[in-house]
PDB file of all heavy atoms in Angstrom:
ATOM      1  N   GLY T  31      76.578 -28.096 -25.237  1.00  0.00           N
ATOM      2  CA  GLY T  31      76.094 -26.734 -25.042  1.00  0.00           C
ATOM      3  C   GLY T  31      76.577 -25.810 -26.125  1.00  0.00           C
ATOM      4  O   GLY T  31      77.626 -26.046 -26.749  1.00  0.00           O
ATOM      5  N   LEU T  32      75.816 -24.752 -26.378  1.00  0.00           N
ATOM      6  CA  LEU T  32      76.155 -23.803 -27.441  1.00  0.00           C
ATOM      7  C   LEU T  32      76.070 -22.398 -26.892  1.00  0.00           C
ATOM      8  O   LEU T  32      75.162 -22.064 -26.120  1.00  0.00           O
ATOM      9  CB  LEU T  32      75.206 -23.986 -28.626  1.00  0.00           C
ATOM     10  CG  LEU T  32      75.480 -23.159 -29.881  1.00  0.00           C
ATOM     11  CD1 LEU T  32      75.226 -23.985 -31.126  1.00  0.00           C
ATOM     12  CD2 LEU T  32      74.599 -21.909 -29.907  1.00  0.00           C
ATOM     13  N   ASN T  33      77.027 -21.563 -27.296  1.00  0.00           N
ATOM     14  CA  ASN T  33      77.046 -20.157 -26.914  1.00  0.00           C
ATOM     15  C   ASN T  33      77.209 -19.297 -28.160  1.00  0.00           C
ATOM     16  O   ASN T  33      77.955 -19.662 -29.086  1.00  0.00           O
ATOM     17  CB  ASN T  33      78.189 -19.863 -25.934  1.00  0.00           C
ATOM     18  CG  ASN T  33      77.676 -19.704 -24.509  1.00  0.00           C
ATOM     19  OD1 ASN T  33      76.554 -19.263 -24.290  1.00  0.00           O
ATOM     20  ND2 ASN T  33      78.483 -20.077 -23.531  1.00  0.00           N
ATOM     21  N   VAL T  34      76.517 -18.170 -28.169  1.00  0.00           N
ATOM     22  CA  VAL T  34      76.624 -17.230 -29.280  1.00  0.00           C
ATOM     23  C   VAL T  34      77.893 -16.416 -29.128  1.00  0.00           C
ATOM     24  O   VAL T  34      78.263 -16.013 -28.021  1.00  0.00           O
ATOM     25  CB  VAL T  34      75.394 -16.314 -29.332  1.00  0.00           C
ATOM     26  CG1 VAL T  34      75.485 -15.344 -30.501  1.00  0.00           C
ATOM     27  CG2 VAL T  34      74.126 -17.145 -29.432  1.00  0.00           C
ATOM     28  N   VAL T  35      78.577 -16.162 -30.227  1.00  0.00           N
ATOM     29  CA  VAL T  35      79.814 -15.391 -30.215  1.00  0.00           C
ATOM     30  C   VAL T  35      79.482 -13.931 -30.465  1.00  0.00           C
ATOM     31  O   VAL T  35      78.849 -13.577 -31.457  1.00  0.00           O
ATOM     32  CB  VAL T  35      80.795 -15.905 -31.287  1.00  0.00           C
ATOM     33  CG1 VAL T  35      82.064 -15.049 -31.310  1.00  0.00           C
ATOM     34  CG2 VAL T  35      81.149 -17.362 -31.011  1.00  0.00           C
ATOM     35  N   THR T  36      79.878 -13.061 -29.524  1.00  0.00           N
ATOM     36  CA  THR T  36      79.701 -11.612 -29.668  1.00  0.00           C
ATOM     37  C   THR T  36      81.055 -10.938 -29.546  1.00  0.00           C
ATOM     38  O   THR T  36      81.922 -11.382 -28.797  1.00  0.00           O
ATOM     39  CB  THR T  36      78.758 -11.056 -28.599  1.00  0.00           C
ATOM     40  OG1 THR T  36      79.272 -11.386 -27.305  1.00  0.00           O
ATOM     41  CG2 THR T  36      77.363 -11.638 -28.757  1.00  0.00           C
ATOM     42  N   SER T  37      81.202  -9.851 -30.266  1.00  0.00           N
ATOM     43  CA  SER T  37      82.476  -9.138 -30.262  1.00  0.00           C
ATOM     44  C   SER T  37      82.613  -8.314 -29.002  1.00  0.00           C
ATOM     45  O   SER T  37      81.720  -7.548 -28.641  1.00  0.00           O
ATOM     46  CB  SER T  37      82.587  -8.244 -31.496  1.00  0.00           C
ATOM     47  OG  SER T  37      83.796  -7.522 -31.475  1.00  0.00           O
ATOM     48  N   SER T  38      83.708  -8.441 -28.307  1.00  0.00           N
ATOM     49  CA  SER T  38      83.961  -7.668 -27.090  1.00  0.00           C
ATOM     50  C   SER T  38      84.287  -6.232 -27.453  1.00  0.00           C
ATOM     51  O   SER T  38      84.995  -5.950 -28.417  1.00  0.00           O
ATOM     52  CB  SER T  38      85.120  -8.284 -26.304  1.00  0.00           C
ATOM     53  OG  SER T  38      85.402  -7.534 -25.153  1.00  0.00           O
ATOM     54  N   GLY T  39      83.738  -5.340 -26.644  1.00  0.00           N
ATOM     55  CA  GLY T  39      83.982  -3.916 -26.883  1.00  0.00           C
ATOM     56  C   GLY T  39      83.204  -3.348 -28.025  1.00  0.00           C
ATOM     57  O   GLY T  39      83.549  -2.306 -28.547  1.00  0.00           O
ATOM     58  N   ALA T  40      82.111  -4.007 -28.415  1.00  0.00           N
ATOM     59  CA  ALA T  40      81.329  -3.537 -29.565  1.00  0.00           C
ATOM     60  C   ALA T  40      80.613  -2.229 -29.294  1.00  0.00           C
ATOM     61  O   ALA T  40      80.255  -1.512 -30.200  1.00  0.00           O
ATOM     62  CB  ALA T  40      80.306  -4.601 -29.967  1.00  0.00           C
ATOM     63  N   VAL T  41      80.407  -1.902 -28.028  1.00  0.00           N
ATOM     64  CA  VAL T  41      79.659  -0.685 -27.718  1.00  0.00           C
ATOM     65  C   VAL T  41      80.444   0.551 -28.110  1.00  0.00           C
ATOM     66  O   VAL T  41      79.915   1.506 -28.654  1.00  0.00           O
ATOM     67  CB  VAL T  41      79.311  -0.662 -26.216  1.00  0.00           C
ATOM     68  CG1 VAL T  41      78.626   0.635 -25.855  1.00  0.00           C
ATOM     69  CG2 VAL T  41      78.444  -1.850 -25.861  1.00  0.00           C
ATOM     70  N   ALA T  42      81.722   0.542 -27.859  1.00  0.00           N
ATOM     71  CA  ALA T  42      82.534   1.733 -28.094  1.00  0.00           C
ATOM     72  C   ALA T  42      83.328   1.656 -29.389  1.00  0.00           C
ATOM     73  O   ALA T  42      84.212   2.443 -29.616  1.00  0.00           O
ATOM     74  CB  ALA T  42      83.500   1.930 -26.916  1.00  0.00           C
ATOM     75  N   GLN T  43      83.005   0.709 -30.242  1.00  0.00           N
ATOM     76  CA  GLN T  43      83.795   0.564 -31.463  1.00  0.00           C
ATOM     77  C   GLN T  43      83.388   1.603 -32.492  1.00  0.00           C
ATOM     78  O   GLN T  43      82.279   2.112 -32.494  1.00  0.00           O
ATOM     79  CB  GLN T  43      83.594  -0.837 -32.041  1.00  0.00           C
ATOM     80  CG  GLN T  43      84.348  -1.916 -31.282  1.00  0.00           C
ATOM     81  CD  GLN T  43      84.092  -3.274 -31.907  1.00  0.00           C
ATOM     82  OE1 GLN T  43      83.221  -3.422 -32.719  1.00  0.00           O
ATOM     83  NE2 GLN T  43      84.881  -4.244 -31.521  1.00  0.00           N
ATOM     84  N   SER T  44      84.315   1.886 -33.378  1.00  0.00           N
ATOM     85  CA  SER T  44      84.020   2.770 -34.493  1.00  0.00           C
ATOM     86  C   SER T  44      83.312   1.989 -35.588  1.00  0.00           C
ATOM     87  O   SER T  44      83.114   0.783 -35.497  1.00  0.00           O
ATOM     88  CB  SER T  44      85.323   3.385 -35.029  1.00  0.00           C
ATOM     89  OG  SER T  44      86.207   2.353 -35.461  1.00  0.00           O
ATOM     90  N   ALA T  45      82.947   2.689 -36.665  1.00  0.00           N
ATOM     91  CA  ALA T  45      82.194   2.046 -37.743  1.00  0.00           C
ATOM     92  C   ALA T  45      82.964   0.902 -38.403  1.00  0.00           C
ATOM     93  O   ALA T  45      82.414  -0.177 -38.618  1.00  0.00           O
ATOM     94  CB  ALA T  45      81.788   3.091 -38.784  1.00  0.00           C
ATOM     95  N   PRO T  46      84.258   1.057 -38.767  1.00  0.00           N
ATOM     96  CA  PRO T  46      84.970  -0.088 -39.340  1.00  0.00           C
ATOM     97  C   PRO T  46      85.052  -1.269 -38.383  1.00  0.00           C
ATOM     98  O   PRO T  46      84.957  -2.427 -38.799  1.00  0.00           O
ATOM     99  CB  PRO T  46      86.351   0.490 -39.664  1.00  0.00           C
ATOM    100  CG  PRO T  46      86.148   1.962 -39.756  1.00  0.00           C
ATOM    101  CD  PRO T  46      85.087   2.269 -38.759  1.00  0.00           C
ATOM    102  N   ASP T  47      85.233  -0.975 -37.087  1.00  0.00           N
ATOM    103  CA  ASP T  47      85.305  -2.070 -36.119  1.00  0.00           C
ATOM    104  C   ASP T  47      83.967  -2.778 -35.982  1.00  0.00           C
ATOM    105  O   ASP T  47      83.905  -3.986 -35.786  1.00  0.00           O
ATOM    106  CB  ASP T  47      85.760  -1.549 -34.758  1.00  0.00           C
ATOM    107  CG  ASP T  47      87.190  -1.032 -34.788  1.00  0.00           C
ATOM    108  OD1 ASP T  47      87.953  -1.538 -35.635  1.00  0.00           O
ATOM    109  OD2 ASP T  47      87.528  -0.128 -34.007  1.00  0.00           O
ATOM    110  N   GLN T  48      82.871  -2.033 -36.119  1.00  0.00           N
ATOM    111  CA  GLN T  48      81.561  -2.649 -36.036  1.00  0.00           C
ATOM    112  C   GLN T  48      81.308  -3.545 -37.242  1.00  0.00           C
ATOM    113  O   GLN T  48      80.671  -4.590 -37.130  1.00  0.00           O
ATOM    114  CB  GLN T  48      80.485  -1.577 -35.916  1.00  0.00           C
ATOM    115  CG  GLN T  48      80.502  -0.866 -34.570  1.00  0.00           C
ATOM    116  CD  GLN T  48      79.427   0.189 -34.486  1.00  0.00           C
ATOM    117  OE1 GLN T  48      78.745   0.472 -35.459  1.00  0.00           O
ATOM    118  NE2 GLN T  48      79.283   0.784 -33.319  1.00  0.00           N
ATOM    119  N   GLU T  49      81.805  -3.143 -38.415  1.00  0.00           N
ATOM    120  CA  GLU T  49      81.673  -4.006 -39.581  1.00  0.00           C
ATOM    121  C   GLU T  49      82.481  -5.285 -39.391  1.00  0.00           C
ATOM    122  O   GLU T  49      82.066  -6.377 -39.783  1.00  0.00           O
ATOM    123  CB  GLU T  49      82.132  -3.264 -40.833  1.00  0.00           C
ATOM    124  CG  GLU T  49      81.236  -2.075 -41.192  1.00  0.00           C
ATOM    125  CD  GLU T  49      81.752  -1.347 -42.404  1.00  0.00           C
ATOM    126  OE1 GLU T  49      82.815  -1.760 -42.932  1.00  0.00           O
ATOM    127  OE2 GLU T  49      81.106  -0.367 -42.833  1.00  0.00           O
ATOM    128  N   GLU T  50      83.642  -5.168 -38.757  1.00  0.00           N
ATOM    129  CA  GLU T  50      84.439  -6.350 -38.482  1.00  0.00           C
ATOM    130  C   GLU T  50      83.764  -7.234 -37.446  1.00  0.00           C
ATOM    131  O   GLU T  50      83.811  -8.468 -37.518  1.00  0.00           O
ATOM    132  CB  GLU T  50      85.825  -5.921 -37.998  1.00  0.00           C
ATOM    133  CG  GLU T  50      86.783  -7.097 -37.764  1.00  0.00           C
ATOM    134  CD  GLU T  50      88.151  -6.630 -37.312  1.00  0.00           C
ATOM    135  OE1 GLU T  50      88.381  -5.411 -37.326  1.00  0.00           O
ATOM    136  OE2 GLU T  50      88.965  -7.478 -36.958  1.00  0.00           O
ATOM    137  N   ALA T  51      83.092  -6.597 -36.453  1.00  0.00           N
ATOM    138  CA  ALA T  51      82.383  -7.383 -35.452  1.00  0.00           C
ATOM    139  C   ALA T  51      81.206  -8.126 -36.039  1.00  0.00           C
ATOM    140  O   ALA T  51      80.801  -9.165 -35.525  1.00  0.00           O
ATOM    141  CB  ALA T  51      81.909  -6.467 -34.324  1.00  0.00           C
ATOM    142  N   ALA T  52      80.628  -7.603 -37.134  1.00  0.00           N
ATOM    143  CA  ALA T  52      79.505  -8.293 -37.769  1.00  0.00           C
ATOM    144  C   ALA T  52      79.917  -9.622 -38.387  1.00  0.00           C
ATOM    145  O   ALA T  52      79.064 -10.452 -38.686  1.00  0.00           O
ATOM    146  CB  ALA T  52      78.884  -7.391 -38.843  1.00  0.00           C
TER     147      ALA T  52
END
Side-chain angles (χ1 to χ4, degrees):
L32 185 141
N33 256 329
V34 181
V35 177
T36 57
S37 178
S38 178
V41 176
Q43 284 180 348
S44 59
D47 294 332
Q48 290 180 354
E49 294 178 359
E50 184 179 352

